[in-house]
Amino acid sequence: MRKLLNTLYITQEDIRLSRDGSNVVINKNNEKLGQIPIQYLENIVCFTYVGISSSLMELSTENNVSISFLSPWGKYRGRVEGPIKGNVLLRKEQYRISENEEDTLVFAKSFMFGKIYNSTKILQRATRDYKDLKDPMRIELAINNLKEAKKKIFESNNLESLLGIEGDASRNYFQNFYQLIRNNDFNFSSRVRRPPTDAINAMLSFGYGMLRVRTEWALETVGLDPYVGFYHQDRPGRSSLALDLMEELRAYIVDRFVLSIINLRQISKNEFVFQENGSVLFSEDGMKKFLDLWNKKMQEELKHPFLEEKIQIGLLPYVQAMLLARTIRNDLEIYPPFLIN
């Protein structure tokens, strides 16, 4: 099994990265803060428009270390990477599937089943763990609706109808998300993406951005093209297959993590900036704390339900990308989405 290496996060605007031999050097105001051997890194993720020397970019691409750029609230901007690797026959089969709606629908149903199944599990866990829910009947109704949505997935005969099923399921899920929050310092009324208008939406958007970067890297690692999807339609600059694969992982990796750090009071409302236009962003200290907690979470282990092996949570995108590649090669009859135990 692949080893999860480190990710270097850059969150300060006055940081510049350069190269010294085989090391990544971190500088601030012309002062060296430290250095990291390139072989210890898997990704460099920048949340500011940081200065990076061309020699460091060369070192990174030679060592298969991607450099990703995200906005301060986690929106993906772009990435620097080395030459595309992988089995050309695998990619050709991926492209063939993407042009056949009957074939893409089979994969899309698996992605959506995983998403709705895991969303249902998140709500069911709340009804089990919390006996003082604000509106228990409403959350039970949402759970029943999600269960019906799972059945409808396999009755769907086109991508358009599947999109409608997903939309209804997402609304049921997020309309009850507020009931999972056990910290009165945080409020949530609905999912608001760009820009986020409360601290919870800011964390969700940020976490999804982090997950997208990790998923893109995972797909490229196994030889797939992250920009050619089966459920999300192709658009210039959009990593559609990464968005496909993310769907089943959002609830487990991001939503549960955000709920955990809120309910355990590991992050506070004071670590966010509320701007005049209504948008909410991390403060510099808040982003550092979030990333530190995120890294620790990625190192935790779980037993993968399909492989029946223990893996680090941070390797889930890689494992699912590997299973997807095996399915495209016909080593597996149908793609097995990740399902919460």
Side-chain angles (χ1 to χ4, degrees):
M1 182 58 64
R2 183 184 180 90
K3 180 181 179 181
L4 183 63
L5 299 176
N6 297 308
T7 297
L8 173 62
Y9 298 104
I10 304 299
T11 60
Q12 299 179 44
E13 294 183 0
D14 50 359
I15 294 293
R16 180 174 175 80
L17 302 179
S18 59
R19 172 183 181 174
D20 181 5
S22 60
N23 297 309
V24 178
V25 180
I26 306 167
N27 302 285
K28 182 176 182 179
N29 298 327
N30 296 320
E31 179 182 351
K32 180 177 177 180
L33 298 182
Q35 65 181 35
I36 305 173
I38 193 69
Q39 63 266 28
Y40 292 170
L41 293 175
E42 198 150 45
N43 296 285
I44 299 172
V45 180
C46 305
F47 294 96
T48 62
Y49 297 103
V50 65
I52 300 178
S53 70
S54 58
S55 61
L56 175 57
M57 290 186 183
E58 179 184 24
L59 178 68
S60 298
T61 57
E62 289 174 347
N63 287 271
N64 200 31
V65 176
S66 69
I67 305 174
S68 301
F69 297 89
L70 283 77
S71 72
W73 56 86
K75 182 180 179 182
Y76 178 77
R77 298 296 193 188
R79 183 174 66 250
V80 176
E81 60 185 350
I84 294 175
K85 298 181 177 64
N87 187 337
V88 66
L89 298 179
L90 174 64
R91 291 195 179 222
K92 287 178 70 175
E93 181 62 12
Q94 175 191 354
Y95 301 149
R96 186 200 64 76
I97 292 172
S98 72
E99 297 294 329
N100 185 307
E101 183 170 351
E102 184 177 346
D103 290 342
T104 59
L105 189 60
V106 174
F107 284 94
K109 286 181 177 181
S110 291
F111 298 140
M112 286 305 102
F113 181 84
K115 176 178 183 175
I116 296 175
Y117 178 95
N118 291 336
S119 298
T120 308
K121 281 289 188 179
I122 296 293
L123 296 184
Q124 286 176 324
R125 179 165 296 182
T127 63
R128 185 185 69 236
D129 293 347
Y130 307 132
K131 303 305 179 185
D132 57 344
L133 291 169
K134 296 175 183 177
D135 194 343
M137 292 185 65
R138 183 179 182 181
I139 202 169
E140 285 292 349
L141 177 61
I143 290 170
N144 290 332
N145 288 339
L146 288 173
K147 288 179 178 179
E148 286 299 313
K150 285 190 296 183
K151 297 177 184 177
K152 290 179 181 178
I153 287 174
F154 298 103
E155 299 170 1
S156 175
N157 55 16
N158 57 63
L159 292 174
E160 185 177 356
S161 64
L162 195 60
L163 186 64
I165 294 168
E166 182 206 1
D168 290 341
S170 293
R171 279 189 292 274
N172 273 285
Y173 174 68
F174 278 115
Q175 284 173 356
N176 286 274
F177 200 73
Y178 74 97
Q179 299 204 59
L180 314 185
I181 300 163
R182 317 299 290 178
N183 183 340
N184 292 330
D185 291 338
F186 290 88
N187 297 310
F188 181 90
S189 58
S190 62
R191 178 75 182 108
V192 181
R193 291 164 177 79
R194 292 189 292 270
T197 54
D198 57 66
I200 294 177
N201 272 298
M203 285 187 280
L204 290 173
S205 292
F206 194 84
Y208 295 149
M210 299 287 292
L211 178 59
R212 178 173 173 174
V213 168
R214 193 175 288 270
T215 306
E216 289 180 359
W217 151 76
L219 289 166
E220 291 185 341
T221 299
V222 302
L224 291 169
D225 185 341
Y227 290 89
V228 179
F230 301 149
Y231 177 61
H232 289 83
Q233 298 303 298
D234 295 339
R235 290 182 189 171
R238 182 165 82 168
S239 50
S240 297
L241 190 62
L243 294 174
D244 288 351
L245 196 62
M246 276 178 60
E247 295 292 3
E248 70 205 56
L249 303 176
R250 289 175 184 263
Y252 182 78
I253 293 182
V254 179
D255 299 359
R256 273 185 41 164
F257 170 71
V258 169
L259 288 169
S260 175
I261 64 175
I262 290 172
N263 293 341
L264 293 176
R265 299 182 181 273
Q266 294 176 307
I267 199 162
S268 73
K269 197 172 182 178
N270 296 329
E271 284 154 332
F272 296 86
V273 178
F274 296 79
Q275 300 185 322
E276 291 184 1
N277 65 358
S279 63
V280 179
L281 302 175
F282 280 103
S283 67
E284 185 175 312
D285 288 342
M287 183 181 288
K288 289 179 180 177
K289 180 175 288 188
F290 184 94
L291 290 172
D292 181 58
L293 293 167
W294 174 270
N295 280 339
K296 290 177 181 176
K297 187 65 178 180
M298 293 304 101
Q299 299 291 334
E300 291 181 10
E301 291 188 338
L302 80 157
K303 187 175 182 180
H304 193 279
F306 183 79
L307 298 181
E308 297 186 341
E309 295 179 10
K310 281 191 174 183
I311 63 167
Q312 292 171 313
I313 291 175
L315 286 176
L316 260 179
Y318 170 76
V319 170
Q320 293 308 125
M322 178 183 65
L323 293 172
L324 180 59
R326 289 180 180 175
T327 308
I328 292 172
R329 286 196 300 262
N330 289 319
D331 295 336
L332 293 174
E333 185 175 350
I334 192 167
Y335 169 72
F338 170 76
L339 305 177
I340 298 174
N341 290 322

